[in-house]
Amino acid sequence: MKAELKPGIEHQFTFRVSESKTVAALYPEATEFQVMPVVLATGFMVGLFEWTCIQALGPYLDGPAEQTVGTHINVSHVAATPVGFEVRVHVKLVEVDRRRLVFTIDAHDDAGLISQGTHERFIIDKAKFDANLKRKCESHGH
């Protein structure tokens, strides 16, 4: 983690919604999802928020050995976004507590606000994380 990693860092990212990011695509095996409206799935929206935060942090981490993982998400999803619309995500780092990072998020599509809230990430050492994951899998027969 570089010394410049401090609250106030902001980043914006724009993504055009395709059929592959709709509710039906989230879990293709879920028949219940197949009859849902053809709009951006909340699960994919959350992934878009994580992606934007990861992009914001890129210049401030010693990657790929140092990375972040999502540990908490608290966002609204107040409006549906149809296929073809662009989603503009804005994130701002508002808290740095050692390895814990907190972002505010807001997202708009072509018609207005679709989401806002907070997202927490934690800085990890990838080698240590992978070693712990391997031990977990081995201890449970996987």
Side-chain angles (χ1 to χ4, degrees), residues 119-132:
H119 177 47
E120 185 176 295
R121 300 192 68 75
F122 195 84
I123 300 170
I124 61 160
D125 175 293
K126 177 102 168 38
K128 288 181 184 177
F129 187 92
D130 288 348
N132 289 337

Side-chain angles (χ1 to χ4, degrees), residues 33-117:
F33 282 7
Q34 302 314 305
V35 297
M36 299 289 291
V38 183
V39 296
L40 176 66
T42 303
F44 285 124
M45 183 184 74
V46 168
L48 183 58
F49 296 164
E50 290 198 84
W51 188 8
T52 306
C53 290
I54 291 167
Q55 286 183 335
L57 293 170
Y60 304 96
L61 299 177
D62 296 317
E66 191 175 55
Q67 298 179 9
T68 63
V69 293
T71 56
H72 188 83
I73 186 88
N74 183 14
V75 294
S76 63
H77 194 173
V78 298
T81 302
V83 170
F85 276 50
E86 282 190 343
V87 175
R88 291 170 305 288
V89 179
H90 175 259
V91 300
K92 182 176 183 179
L93 183 61
V94 294
E95 185 179 347
V96 177
D97 180 13
R98 293 178 299 250
R99 298 169 79 75
R100 184 177 146 271
L101 311 171
V102 180
F103 288 87
T104 57
I105 298 168
D106 64 80
H108 293 77
D109 67 14
D110 299 337
L113 181 72
I114 65 165
S115 181
Q116 56 189 24

